[in-house]
Amino acid sequence: MSRNFPPVGNWELVRDYEIVCAVVADRKTTVAAQRLGMSQSAVSRAIAAIEKRRGKTLFHRESGRLLPTAEALDLYREGSAALSTLATLAGRRGEDRTERLVVTAPPTLLQYFLVATVSDFARLHPNVTVSLAIAGIENLAGVVAEGQAAVGLADAAVMHSGIATELLLDTDVVCVMPVGHHLAAKPWIGPYDLDDEDYITINRKHSLRSSLDRVFSEAGVRPHTVVETDVAMAAVEMVRSGLGVSVLNPFPIVRDRMDGLVVRPFSPTLSIRTNIMLPANAPLPVATRRFVDFLKERSRAALAAMLANIASGPDTR
């Protein structure tokens, strides 16, 4: 399909493309202004002027965000192609430009999965600068929706009109206990096994907590809660210290080495979806798409390692 690229010398149209593309990608004039080297008010005035010239609305404002219309998305696709062509003609291929990618996740996903994954991605893509940021479950969706991060990871149910999700992994919860625990001899753990057992539980703001509370209630059992935490890796370390047992999402805590820990399947099956969160209503930049694909590739390797650890006997190394 042919495209109408800006004629030579029509730099006003080129600037229109740059501004629209930045606002579609970032969805906030404050972030787009930083990218463009302009003030926020200048970006707002420029968008208003472009809308006036075209006679069409490009963005709708919702909860402090700018949601692109179909016209804006068409301009984004057209502008991206035009700007890429101009960059090539100027001898500045897109691959030579440094791109910045902000990725956010809760502490456990960041520490146990993203740190190593981002390190490998950075070595393969030296022109992409990745910035890692910790965010709690309650803040993740807003951070991504408002354009403060390009990618978010969450293993709890998150509902937000400003984000789109892609499945990273679907896993079943496991029971984690210290080596030498009397339950380690069992091939799997059920709610009756945990009645009055010293137990480290996840905070109520996690969807897993409500599912487990329901399982325990239906079984008529009550584990002896010694600590409540909203950080899974903290629960793992307390289990390792011998404080009690915990029922957790195995991703990403069940890794290649599980020194001092035993992992057993939990029944009934409780599935946890770990999702990639992306801004809704905006095409993904090339660097973001590459990173998302890389995350999925690495998650498949992590899943294989998890299954091997869950199936193996106690780790006494």
Side-chain angles (χ1 to χ4, degrees), residues 75 95 103 125 159 187 209 218-219 228-230 255 306:
L75 265 179
E95 290 296 316
V103 181
H125 302 278
M159 302 296 292
R209 171 63 181 273
E218 290 174 354
E228 181 178 292
T229 177
D230 61 357
R255 303 182 296 166
M306 281 189 295

Side-chain angles (χ1 to χ4, degrees), residues 249-291:
N249 179 6
F251 179 72
I253 60 171
V254 178
R255 303 182 296 166
D256 293 336
R257 290 184 62 85
M258 295 292 291
D259 298 348
L261 296 171
V262 177
V263 182
R264 292 290 178 263
F266 183 80
S267 180
T269 299
L270 295 175
S271 295
I272 300 290
R273 293 171 63 91
T274 301
N275 288 314
I276 301 168
M277 296 188 299
L278 304 164
N281 305 314
L284 289 185
V286 172
T288 303
R289 183 72 262 170
R290 286 176 178 168
F291 182 71

Side-chain angles (χ1 to χ4, degrees), residues 22-49:
V23 176
V24 168
D26 298 321
R27 291 185 302 128
K28 287 180 75 73
T29 53
T30 51
V31 181
Q34 293 174 358
R35 179 200 294 254
L36 295 165
M38 301 168 63
S39 67
Q40 180 184 359
S41 59
V43 172
S44 298
R45 288 195 300 270
I47 290 296

